[in-house]
Amino acid sequence: MPTTTPPPKKILLTAIGTRGDAQPLVIIAKRLMQDGHICRVAIHEKHRASVEKQGCLFFPVEGFDPDILMANQMGDRPGLNALGLRKMYQEWYKLVCASTWRAATEPFDDGSEFRAEVIISSHQQQSALSIAEKLGAALFFFNTYPMTPTVEFRHPFGTFLEGKDSRNTPLINRASQPLGSAFPRTLPDPRLSSLTLSSCAVRRRVHLLGV
C-alpha cells in the first residue's frame, strides 16, 4: 500500500539547566526539522547563541539561572539554607511556568501562529506536564541521566551521597528515584493559578512524571 506523509507538527522542545540539557534539544529538533516539522527550542537565554547557531528557532525560558543552579547542587553556596533555597526555587518556577506557556503559544515574529501540538521536555521542566494538558498536546519526557539507581552514573543532585553503604556497595546514583519524586513536591502547581486546570494531587503529578 502507498504510504502517506503525515502533516508537519508544531513542536516545542524545552528544558531547564546547563549546556548538557540544551544540546539534546538541538539534536532532536534538527532531526525533526529534516522531516518538515516546525520546532521551537525553549531554554535559558544563556543558550540562545548555541541554539540559533544550529539553525533552530529559540524562545527564552525565564527563572532558573543555570550557573546558580549548578552552584547550589554542587554545594558551592554553603550560606544558602534549605528554606532559602526552596523559596528561591518556587519563585524561579513561577517564571519558568509563565515563560514556557508563552513559548508554547506565542506567534512567530512574522505574526504566523504557533501553538504546540507536541511537547518534548526534559524531566526537570515539569511545567510541561500541565501545559500539554491545557493545549491537548502530546507530551514526551526525556532525561539526560538515569532515573533508576545505577553504579554507572551518579545522580547530579545527589552529591551528598558519595561513599559506600554498610555492605560496601557504592552509593552512586542511589538517590535517583527519591530525588526525582521529591522535586515536584517542593514546587507550586501551575495548574490552578495560571492555567485554570483542575487540581492535581502532588502524588498524582509525581506518578505522571514517571518517577
Side-chain angles (χ1 to χ4, degrees):
M1 293 181 60
T3 59
T4 58
T5 302
K9 297 290 186 182
K10 294 183 174 71
I11 303 175
L12 176 70
L13 301 97
T14 183
I16 56 175
T18 62
R19 185 180 65 178
D21 297 283
Q23 288 174 329
L25 294 183
V26 173
I27 294 170
I28 296 170
K30 291 184 68 175
R31 180 62 185 87
L32 291 169
M33 290 161 59
Q34 290 178 14
D35 290 339
H37 299 293
I38 302 165
C39 297
R40 174 182 277 175
V41 176
I43 197 167
H44 310 288
E45 180 69 35
K46 179 176 182 176
H47 305 306
R48 177 189 289 269
S50 61
V51 171
E52 294 183 338
K53 181 179 179 181
Q54 298 298 323
C56 300
L57 298 172
F58 175 85
F59 197 99
V61 169
E62 302 171 6
F64 285 88
D65 182 298
D67 295 329
I68 296 178
L69 181 64
M70 287 305 298
N72 291 340
Q73 304 305 339
M74 298 306 294
D76 294 336
R77 303 184 73 204
L80 191 64
N81 59 37
L83 180 60
L85 187 64
R86 180 178 180 178
K87 288 181 177 179
M88 182 171 65
Y89 275 22
Q90 288 176 338
E91 291 304 311
W92 278 352
Y93 191 65
K94 291 176 185 177
L95 296 174
V96 168
C97 294
S99 57
T100 305
W101 172 254
R102 294 195 300 272
T105 58
E106 280 196 4
F108 293 111
D109 291 341
D110 62 4
S112 58
E113 182 186 56
F114 182 88
R115 187 176 179 88
E117 301 169 276
V118 178
I119 298 176
I120 300 174
S121 173
S122 72
H123 192 269
Q124 292 78 23
Q125 228 303 28
Q126 295 172 13
S127 63
L129 179 65
S130 298
I131 291 171
E133 180 181 345
K134 181 70 174 181
L135 294 175
L139 174 64
F140 300 89
F141 277 118
F142 76 92
N143 213 40
T144 53
Y145 54 86
M147 286 305 296
T148 54
T150 169
V151 298
E152 302 299 328
F153 193 99
R154 178 177 56 78
H155 192 295
F157 297 167
T159 54
F160 57 88
L161 285 178
E162 295 294 331
K164 297 180 182 294
D165 64 13
S166 59
R167 293 169 299 176
N168 203 37
T169 302
L171 289 175
I172 296 174
N173 208 33
R174 182 68 60 83
S176 286
Q177 201 279 338
L179 285 174
S181 61
F183 191 54
R185 299 175 190 275
T186 68
L187 300 174
D189 186 355
R191 304 170 59 83
L192 303 180
S193 57
S194 56
L195 298 179
T196 62
L197 293 168
S198 59
S199 178
C200 182
V202 171
R203 181 176 298 179
R204 177 63 175 160
R205 277 193 284 156
V206 169
H207 174 72
L208 291 171
L209 288 165
V211 294

